[in-house]
Amino acid sequence: MANPDLPQTKKLRQTVQFQPRWENLNVDCLANVFGRVGITALLLGVPFVCKSWYRASLDSACWQRLILPDVDTEIDLGNEGFWNSDNEIEAVVDRRLELFRFDTLMRRFVWGYQIDHNCFSETQFIMFVVNRSRGQATFLRLPPLCQIALLNRVADVCHGLKGLSLHRCSLIYSSSIIPELIGKCKHLELLSLRGGSNNLKELLLQISIHCKNFCRLLVLNAVIGREDALAIVNLVPNIKYLSLRKSYIHRDNLVTLFRCCKELVLLDARDCSGFDGGDVEILALASQIDKFSCEGSRNGDWKS
């Protein structure tokens, strides 16, 4: 039997006694960690671990990246890599599946917090998440079919946004408020349009007027026509990162982008149609930028 007075035993006892515990970390440290775990964990996991974690989860620093799930689970545009990797094209779109769809997440939230689902709307749920940021949100991804009233309230709260991701459905049914929303985001650097936009020119016009740091545009699963290409060239000529994945773009319009966007660093045209990935002129122009990818692209009709 070990003597409790032996130096080794005392040392072991001291190590156990003074080993830091997660729940004893200060709020700033916990908030720094929780800000990286995602909306699902912040809503359904972290607050239920212990009181200190619950208190830390209320810190606005945890709610700077508000990546709400979509109606499908195809892609997540809010991944950390998109912001930090300038030359890695794979970092632009993270194809990991989301843990929950939006409707599933909301049902789990209502059940976990014992809320009467008959008295709790999608707008209330989204504003609950947005209000947790206390105006400190830097990235916001909204689900489809957001009502105009909701977008108005988001515009009034989220002035510090650097990244905004919108679904085509919101762009169609709330088209009157979207330009105003973008116009209030003076620090916007990134815009993601999931499913494209019928008023890309108007959106980019607002960006050219109000968003002087804008440099990243993602237009996914869309038709990029001549007018759209010219809007990009004329309204955001200094764009550095452009993703047109799964879109239709005629080779002449792609050539226009290469020739006129002089600051372009990265162009992602994977899984596109409308041009041949082996086109000699396109490859010659692409050699002048750091990263170009067109795997899976073909010269044919567009299929959404």
Side-chain angles (χ1 to χ4, degrees):
M1 184 174 178
N3 188 334
D5 295 327
L6 287 178
Q8 297 91 334
T9 306
K10 289 183 178 180
K11 185 176 181 180
L12 177 60
R13 190 177 296 167
Q14 291 173 351
T15 301
V16 172
Q17 182 178 357
F18 295 105
Q19 186 173 7
R21 300 170 64 88
W22 274 97
E23 62 266 29
N24 294 331
L25 290 176
N26 65 52
V27 171
D28 290 340
C29 290
L30 288 173
N32 183 276
V33 174
F34 297 158
R36 306 167 190 268
V37 300
I39 291 294
T40 300
L42 273 175
L43 290 173
L44 304 179
V46 170
F48 298 97
V49 173
C50 61
K51 291 181 179 180
S52 64
W53 283 30
Y54 168 73
R55 288 192 295 269
S57 73
L58 300 178
D59 194 300
S60 60
C62 300
W63 302 85
Q64 293 184 5
R65 299 175 61 80
L66 307 180
I67 314 301
L68 288 162
D70 213 330
V71 292
D72 55 43
T73 58
E74 183 182 359
I75 52 177
D76 181 358
L77 297 178
N79 67 89
E80 192 71 32
F82 186 90
W83 297 93
N84 296 334
S85 299
D86 291 345
N87 297 317
E88 290 299 327
I89 202 160
E90 288 293 341
V92 175
V93 177
D94 183 359
R95 287 177 283 185
R96 294 174 300 175
L97 297 182
E98 294 173 319
L99 182 59
F100 294 124
R101 290 161 38 121
F102 176 76
D103 53 354
T104 305
L105 174 60
M106 184 171 168
R107 285 198 302 268
R108 291 284 301 272
F109 176 82
V110 168
W111 178 83
Y113 287 81
Q114 299 182 351
I115 300 171
D116 183 354
H117 69 278
N118 295 313
C119 303
F120 194 67
S121 66
E122 291 185 3
T123 295
Q124 289 174 304
F125 175 59
I126 294 172
M127 282 311 303
F128 172 86
V129 172
V130 169
N131 288 333
R132 280 289 176 95
S133 73
R134 300 192 186 97
Q136 302 302 309
T138 57
F139 190 100
L140 175 62
R141 182 171 108 160
L142 292 170
L145 295 176
C146 290
Q147 299 177 0
I148 291 179
L150 169 63
L151 293 173
N152 268 319
R153 293 168 67 183
V154 168
D156 291 335
V157 174
C158 300
H159 293 300
L161 286 180
K162 293 183 178 181
L164 177 64
S165 179
L166 299 169
H167 192 277
R168 177 180 175 82
C169 292
S170 294
L171 295 168
I172 293 175
Y173 296 108
S174 303
S175 59
S176 60
I177 189 61
I178 297 296
E180 181 181 347
L181 169 61
I182 291 178
K184 291 183 178 181
C185 299
K186 309 295 185 183
H187 305 287
L188 196 69
E189 299 175 12
L190 175 153
L191 177 64
S192 165
L193 304 175
R194 308 183 324 266
S197 170
N198 291 331
N199 59 339
L200 180 62
K201 183 177 180 180
E202 174 62 26
L203 299 181
L204 293 182
L205 176 61
Q206 295 300 317
I207 286 173
S208 69
I209 296 172
H210 301 287
C211 312
K212 302 307 180 183
N213 297 323
F214 187 81
C215 62
R216 302 176 185 246
L217 175 66
L218 290 86
V219 186
L220 307 178
N221 200 28
V223 175
I224 309 299
R226 180 67 176 169
E227 185 176 353
D228 298 318
L230 291 177
I232 294 172
V233 165
N234 294 325
L235 297 175
V236 287
N238 297 323
I239 192 167
K240 294 183 178 180
Y241 308 92
L242 180 61
S243 176
L244 307 173
R245 285 200 64 203
K246 299 186 178 182
S247 296
Y248 174 86
I249 178 168
H250 190 274
R251 56 97 54 201
D252 293 343
N253 295 331
L254 186 60
V255 168
T256 297
L257 293 175
F258 274 122
R259 286 180 173 173
C260 300
C261 297
K262 302 297 184 181
E263 302 296 322
L264 202 60
V265 172
L266 180 152
L267 198 157
D268 184 356
R270 287 177 289 172
D271 305 312
C272 288
S273 57
F275 68 94
D276 183 353
D279 188 298
V280 175
E281 183 179 11
I282 289 177
L283 292 178
L285 292 169
S287 67
Q288 301 175 23
I289 69 174
D290 288 353
K291 201 76 174 181
F292 172 65
S293 183
C294 61
E295 288 83 355
S297 296
R298 63 201 181 281
N299 188 7
D301 295 333
W302 181 60
K303 295 181 180 180
S304 62

